[in-house]
C-alpha cells in the first residue's frame, strides 16, 4: 500500500465498503457519532452540558457552554479517529514519527469545525438554544506549546499528514504552561504565565493507565549475561512516569483523524520511596513536585539555547516515552527489530529530540538484546534530521559533565558512536586531524560538550534545511566537512503552511471568492490557485478581491479596538511585521524607516500630499532573558506613543503594537495586511513561514534575499516583490572586510537624521538614556548590519509607496501573489519529505 492512499476515504457513508473498511470483528463495533443535523447537534450539546458537566443550560456559564460545545464537536470526530487507528492497526505499514519539543497548535475549535464541515450546523444549533456561537468560540485559550516558526511548522505538518492520510504520529510534550502571555507595562514587556489548562482541557484525552517509566542519573556497570556475554547496563538513580495525552489531528474533510501524543511527567511511587521517603511525608510530596517540573513549562527561547539541566531532562523525557511507546505499544508484538526501519522513520525537528539516537541504541542493546553492530545498522536508518537555523549560537551542545550525570549510559553510547565515526573520517581523510576535531561529536572548547547537530548528522539518513538557500548554506557553510564526507546525505525541503488554517479559516471571504472563481478543492491541491492568474486582469474579480481585503482591514480595526484599545485610521496601507523579536530579523531597521518617515513629515522635507498614509503593525515576543530584544520592544512602543500624540502626523501614520502576538492574532492580522515585512539580514533567516502566509493572503512582500523569500520572489515574479539589501555573499564579504556601522551613519544624511532623532530622547520623554542601549548597539556593533541595508530599504519603501498609489497595479500584484504561492502548502512539503527522505524511490 502506498503512503498517499489513492482512495482517500470520504467523510460521508462512502467510507463503508471502501478499501479501508475494517475487517476484524473487533473493528466492526459500531462507533456512531451524533446526527449531523441542527437538532442532533443541539441534543448532543445538551447531553454534554447536562450529563457530562452536570449543569443546566439556564444556570450554565459561558465557560460551561464553551466546554460542552468543544466536547460536542469532538464527539463527531470520534468515529473517524477510532476507524483511522483501527485501519492502521489492520494494515501496518511504515509510519512517520514526528519528534518535536514544540507544537504551536493554535485554537482547536475552528479547525475541528472545518475538518468536519460542521460550522453551519453548530452555529444554528447554538442560535436555536439562544447562545452566541462566536462568543463561545472566543473563549478558547490556544495551546501555545511552541515558541514561533519551528513549533508552528510542526503543527502545519501534522495537519497535512492527516489531510493526506499518511500513517503518522506526532510526539511531544504537554507543557502545563505554554509560551508566556505578553503584556506591556509602560512600554516594557512583562511575562505572565500561560495557564492554558485553567478552563479545562476539552480537546485532550489523558491515559494515566498507559504510563511509561523514564529513568535518570546513576551509573553504569559491566556484567555477564546468561549466555556468558560481557555487557553493560544502566543503574539509574531516579525515575518519573510519562502520562500520554492524546489529541485528535483531523484531516481536512477526509474521514481521517491522526493522533498527537503529548507526554506529561508525574512522580512515581518508586521515586518517592527510594530517594526521599524515610518517613518524611513532606519530603516525599516535595519529590512529587520535582518530578512534575519536567513538563511544567515551555522554555521561551528563540534560537539561543540556555543549556539548562531541566531542558535536557525534558528532551530525554519525551523522547524516551515516545520510543518506548512506539516499540512496545505501536509495533506488533514479536516484531523483528532488526527490520525496524520498515516500520518507522523518526523525523527529528531540530536538535531538541536528538538524544533519541543513543536512546534507540540503548533500547535495542540493553533491553532487546541486540549487538552493537546490528543495533547501529538499524538505528542509522530510523532517523532523519531537520536543521532550522544558521546561527552558530543556536546549535545545541550539552556539557559532557551534565550528560554523564543525567544520562551516563547514553554518554557511553555517544562516545562509541563518535569513536567509530572518527575512524571513518580518518580513513577518508588520512592525516587531517584538524578536520577530525571539527567533525567530532564531542567539542573540547570552551568545555567538553556533545554537539547535537553533529550527532544527528552522523546518525541520520538525511539532513535537510528548510528553504533552498538555507539548505545550500547548511551544506556549504555550517556542515561543509560532513557534506564532503557524505554529499548525498544533504537535501532540501522548503517549509510550507497549511492552507486550511491560514486561508480557509483565517480568510473566509477570500476563500469564498476563490471557490466561486475556480471551484472547490483548492484547499488540498493548492497549486490550483494558478487558475486565478487570468483573473488578475479581470475588473469584476479584482474589485471583489479589493473588497475582501478592505473587509479584513475593517475587521482587524474593530478587533484591535476591542482587544487592545488601539484605534487605527480607516484608510491607510497596512504594513505588518510579526515574528519573534530577534536582532537578526531586524525590527530596528523597520523602526528606522518609521522614524525617517516621521522626520520627513515633521521637518517638512516631504509635502503632506505626497505621503502615502501607513499603519505599521508589530507583533513580537522577546525571550525573557534577551536584554536587547526587550529594549527594542520598549523603543517601538515609545515611538508608537509619540507618533500617536503628535497631531502633525496622526493623519498620515500610526504604529500599533498589540501585545501577545500568537496564532489567534496572526489569523486576524495576516489577511488584513497590504505589505509583509521580511527584512532579516541575508543568510540568517533559515526560511520563515509568516512570509508564505502573507503572500497567500494577498500581501506584497518587501524583503531581503533570504530564506524562503528567495523562492517567493522567484514564483510571484520580481515585479510583484520589493527586493532590497545585500545578498548573502555580499554580507559575507563585508563581514570579512570588517564592518563599521558608524561609517554608514556618517555618510548617509537620512540615516544620520533618523538615528539622531531616536538618540535625542524625542521618543522617550526627553530621556536620552532610554534609547541608548539600542542606538549605541546600532552605531558601534550592529551585528546584523541594519545600517548597511538602510538606504536600500528606504529606496524599496519608496517603490512600495509608488506601487500602492496605483490601485489597479497593486491589486494585480496581490492577486498574482495568491495565484503563484500554491507551492507553499505544507502538503507539498510533506510530499517532498516522503519523496526525498521518508520513502525515496531509489
Ligand atoms: C526557525 C527559523 O528561524 C525559521 O526561519 C524557520 O522558518 C522555522 C521553521 O523551519 O524555524 N528556527 C528556529 O529556531 N525558530 C524558527 O522559527 N525559532 C522559533 O521557532 C522561535
Amino acid at each position: 500500500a502506498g503512503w498517499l492512499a489513492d482512495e482517500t476515504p470520504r467523510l460521508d457513508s462512502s467510507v463503508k465498503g471502501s478499501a479501508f473498511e475494517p475487517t476484524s470483528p473487533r473493528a466492526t463495533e459500531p462507533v456512531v457519532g451524533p446526527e449531523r443535523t441542527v437538532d442532533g447537534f443541539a441534543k448532543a450539546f445538551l447531553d454534554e452540558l447536562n450529563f457530562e458537566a452536570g449543569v443546566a443550560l439556564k444556570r450554565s456559564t459561558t465557560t460551561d457552554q464553551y466546554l460542552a460545545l468543544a466536547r460536542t464537536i469532538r464527539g463527531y470526530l470520534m468515529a473517524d479517529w477510532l476507524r483511522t487507528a483501527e485501519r492502521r492497526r489492520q494494515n501496518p505499514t511504515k509510519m512517520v514519527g514526528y519528534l518535536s519539543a514544540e507544537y504551536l497548535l493554535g485554537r482547536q475549535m475552528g479547525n475541528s469545525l472545518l475538518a468536519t464541515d460542521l460550522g453551519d450546523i453548530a452555529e444554528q444549533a447554538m442560535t436555536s438554544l439562544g447562545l452566541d456561537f462566536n462568543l463561545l468560540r472566543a473563549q478558547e485559550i490556544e495551546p501555545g506549546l511552541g515558541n514561533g516558526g519551528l513549533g508552528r511548522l510542526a503543527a502545519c505538518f501534522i495537519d497535512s499528514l492527516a489531510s493526506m492520510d499518511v500513517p503518522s504520529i506526532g510526539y511531544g510534550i504537554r507543557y502545563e504552561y505554554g509560551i508566556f502571555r505578553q503584556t506591556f507595562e509602560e512600554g516594557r514587556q512583562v511575562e505572565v504565565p500561560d495557564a492554558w489548562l485553567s478552563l479545562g482541557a476539552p480537546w485532550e484525552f489523558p491515559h494515566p493507565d498507559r504510563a511509561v517509566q523514564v529513568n535518570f542519573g546513576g551509573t553504569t556497570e559491566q556484567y555477564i549475561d546468561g549466555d556468558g556475554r560481557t555487557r553493560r547496563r544502566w543503574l539509574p538513580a531516579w525515575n518519573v512516569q510519562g502520562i500520554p495525552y492524546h489529541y485528535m489531528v483531523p484531516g481536512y474533510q477526509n474521514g481521517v483523524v491522526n493522533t498527537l501524543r503529548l507526554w506529561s511527567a508525574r512522580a512515581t511511587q518508586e521515586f518517592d520511596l527510594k530517594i526521599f521517603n524515610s518517613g518524611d511525608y513532606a519530603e516525599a510530596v516535595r519529590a512529587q513536585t520535582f518530578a512534575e517540573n519536567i513538563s511544567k513549562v515551555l522554555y521561551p527561547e528563540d534560537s539561543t539555547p540556555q543549556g539548562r539541566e531541566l531542558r535536557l531532562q525534558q528532551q530525554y523525557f519525551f523522547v524516551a516515552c515516545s520510543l518506548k511507546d512506539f516499540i512496545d505499544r505501536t509495533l506488533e508484538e514479536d516484531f523483528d527489530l532488526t527490520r525496524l526501519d520498515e516500520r518507522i522513520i523518526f523525523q527529528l525537528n531540530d536538535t531538541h529530540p536528538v538524544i533519541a539516537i543513543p536512546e534507540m541504541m540503548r533500547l535495542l542493546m540493553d533491553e532487546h538484546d541486540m549487538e552493537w553492530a546490528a543495533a547501529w545498522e538499524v538505528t542509522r536508518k530510523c532517523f532523519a534530521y531537520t536543521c532550522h537555523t544558521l546561527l552558530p549560537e543556536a546549535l545545541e551542545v550539552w556539557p559532557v559533565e551534565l550528560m554523564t550525570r543525567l544520562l551516563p549510559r547514553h554518554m557511553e553510547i555517544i562516545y562509541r558512536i563518535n569513536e567509530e565515526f572518527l575512524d571513518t573520517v580518518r580513513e577518508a581523510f588520512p592525516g587531517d586531524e584538524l578536520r577530525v576535531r571539527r567533525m567530532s561529536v564531542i567539542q573540547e572548547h570552551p568545555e567538553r560538550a556533545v554537539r547535537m547537530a553533529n550527532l544527528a548528522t552522523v546518525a541520520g539518513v538525511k539532513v535537510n534545511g528548510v528553504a533552498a538557500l538555507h539548505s545550500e548554506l547548511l551544506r556549504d557553510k555550517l556542515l561543509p566537512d560532513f557534506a564532503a564526507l557524505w554529499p548525498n546525505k544533504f537535501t532540501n525541503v522548503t517549509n510550507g503552511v497549511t492552507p486550511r488554517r491560514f486561508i480557509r479559516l483565517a480568510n473566509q471571504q477570500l476563500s469564498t471568492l476563490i471557490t466561486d472563481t475556480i471551484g472547490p478543492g483548492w484547499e488540498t491541491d493548492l497549486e490550483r490557485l494558478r487558475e486565478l492568474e487570468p483573473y488578475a486582469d479581470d475588473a469584476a474579480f479584482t474589485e471583489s478581491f479589493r473588497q475582501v481585503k478592505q473587509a479584513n482591514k475593517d475587521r482587524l480595526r474593530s478587533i484591535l479596538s476591542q482587544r487592545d484599545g488601539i484605534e487605527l485610521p480607516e484608510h491607510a496601507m497596512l504594513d505588518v511585521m510579526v515574528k519573534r523579536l530577534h536582532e537578526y530579523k531586524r525590527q530596528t531597521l523597520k523602526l528606522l524607516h518609521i522614524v525617517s518617515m516621521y522626520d520627513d513629515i515633521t521637518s517638512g522635507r516631504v509635502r503632506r500630499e505626497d505621503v502615502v498614509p501607513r499603519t505599521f503593525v508589530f507583533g513580537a515576543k522577546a525571550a525573557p532573558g534577551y536584554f536587547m530584544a526587550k529594549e527594542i520592544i520598549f523603543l517601538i512602543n515609545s515611538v508608537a506613543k509619540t507618533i500617536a500624540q503628535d497631531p502633525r502626523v496622526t493623519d498620515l501614520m500610526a504604529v500599533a503594537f498589540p501585545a501577545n502576538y500568537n496564532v489567534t492574532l496572526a489569523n486576524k492580522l495576516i489577511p488584513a495586511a497590504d505589505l509583509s515585512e521580511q527584512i532579516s539580514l541575508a543568510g540568517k533567516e533559515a526560511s520563515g513561514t509568516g512570509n508564505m502566509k502573507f503572500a497567500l493572503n494577498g500581501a506584497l512582500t518587501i524583503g531581503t534575499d533570504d530564506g524562503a523569500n528567495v523562492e517567493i520572489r522567484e514564483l510571484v515574479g520580481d515585479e510583484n516583490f520589493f527586493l532590497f539589501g545585500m545578498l548573502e555573499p555580499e554580507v559575507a564579504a563585508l563581514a570579512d572586510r570588517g564592518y563599521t556601522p558608524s561609517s554608514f551613519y556618517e555618510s548617509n544624511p537620512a540615516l544620520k537624521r533618523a538615528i539622531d532623532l531616536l538618540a535625542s530622547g524625542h521618543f522617550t520623554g526627553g530621556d536620552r538614556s532610554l534609547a541608548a542601549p539600542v542606538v549605541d548597539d546600532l552605531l558601534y556593533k550592529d551585528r546584523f548590519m541594519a545600517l548597511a541595508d538602510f538606504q536600500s530599504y528606504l529606496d524599496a519603501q519608496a517603490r512600495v509607496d509608488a506601487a500602492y498609489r496605483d490601485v489597479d497595479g497593486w491589486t494585480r500584484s496581490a492577486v498574482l501573489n495568491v495565484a503563484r504561492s500554491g507551492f507553499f502548502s505544507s502538503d507539498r512539503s510533506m510530499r517532498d519529505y516522503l519523496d526525498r527522505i521518508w520513502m525515496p524511490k531509489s
Side-chain angles (χ1 to χ4, degrees), residues 17 27 38 45 76 135 150 214 228 246 295 309 329 335 376 461 470 489 560 570 625 649 686-687 765-766 790 827:
V38 173
F45 172 84
Y76 283 88
L135 177 71
L150 177 151
V214 182
H246 295 175
S295 56
E309 180 162 353
R329 305 250 170 85
F335 184 83
W376 180 242
V461 249
H470 173 241
K489 224 182 233 211
L560 290 186
E570 214 168 318
V649 297
S687 166
F790 175 79
D827 299 348

Side-chain angles (χ1 to χ4, degrees), residues 102 147-151 153 301-303 350 387-389 466 495 580 584-585 684-689:
E102 302 188 10
N147 270 288
L150 177 151
L153 187 76
E301 313 178 329
D302 177 69
S303 344
D350 215 272
C387 176
H388 294 267
T389 188
V466 289
N495 284 166
R580 282 298 285 257
Y584 83 77
K585 295 177 187 284
K684 302 299 178 199
E685 188 68 273
S687 166
T689 45

